Amino acid sequence: MSSCWLTTRFSIDLSRPRVMGIVNLTPDSFSDGGRYSGSLKNALAHAEKLLADGADILDVGGESTRPNAAPVAADEEWQRVAPLLEEISRWNVPVSLDTRRTATMRRALERGWADIINDVQALEDEGALELLAEHRAGVCLMHMEGQPENMQDNPQYRDVCTEVAAYLRGRADACRQAGIDGGRIVLDPGFGFGKTLEHNIALLHDLPRLQRETCLPLLAGLSRKRMIGEITGRDLPAERAAGSAAAALAAVERGALILRVHDVRDTVDALKVWQRLR
């Protein structure tokens, strides 16, 4: 497994865990209620704070993929993310674009505004593989059962770990066959995307197996998710920071090398203590 994540402008050192800070530009975000949607000034201030708190990567998204979320047209998604991408692409920080649409990916990559494509559909949109083969961006391939609008209706697996591993291994192979270097690929098991609490816990416990079977770096996105609320009894996502940090440490102990989080400072502090006490 490569010790670096190769992206458009950066080779991200994965000899220690990295923190990806989330910048949601959606009016219906589950975590912040659209606080940064429609205001470039607020979005920039939030991005700056994430970096000040210790984020290694900024992840910008213009479509909510929470359970029961309605799809957003590609043009609307682009209008949401483009102003911020244009600004932060000038900063000396890796910029990840969270999108599942080839059209949105193309606009960002052709302008040089994205170093990483973070796709909840693992580049399954028509033309996505071919597009990424033409560019040098890093890619994050995620597993999702169903679509956001129906993924939590009744998710079922015979063996969630085996099925998730097989899917991600297949998508990684498709990337390589399309001409995408393996050093550019990171995998995300998709906690909360078409999975019950029991499925999520099983996946978390089996992260070492997932890493062995794929031989690729793993990203864990557990931040503020419903599973944290179910375990802690915290109904409001903003009250799940401590639980999210605990889950992040559990993921790192089991091999995750990138943590996608809302609460960057809490996560960075938890990692510092964990690393010092090891």
Side-chain angles (χ1 to χ4, degrees), residues 8-87:
T8 303
R9 295 179 297 160
F10 301 89
S11 177
I12 301 172
D13 179 11
L14 297 180
S15 62
R16 65 173 178 85
R18 296 293 174 175
V19 175
M20 175 185 280
I22 299 169
V23 186
N24 283 320
L25 300 176
T26 58
D28 55 345
S29 167
F30 89 94
S31 65
D32 56 44
R35 181 181 303 175
Y36 311 111
S37 174
S39 171
L40 179 58
K41 179 181 177 181
N42 289 347
L44 284 169
H46 181 56
E48 289 171 349
K49 183 180 186 305
L50 293 177
L51 294 178
D53 286 344
D56 301 294
I57 305 164
L58 294 176
D59 187 53
V60 178
E63 179 189 33
S64 176
T65 50
R66 60 176 173 76
N68 303 313
V72 173
D75 284 344
E76 182 176 356
E77 180 186 33
W78 179 246
Q79 292 302 315
R80 292 176 180 179
V81 301
L84 182 65
L85 289 177
E86 182 176 13
E87 291 293 330

Side-chain angles (χ1 to χ4, degrees), residues 26 86 101 152 159 260:
T26 58
E86 182 176 13
R101 291 181 175 77
Q152 291 302 114
D159 182 327
R260 183 179 181 272

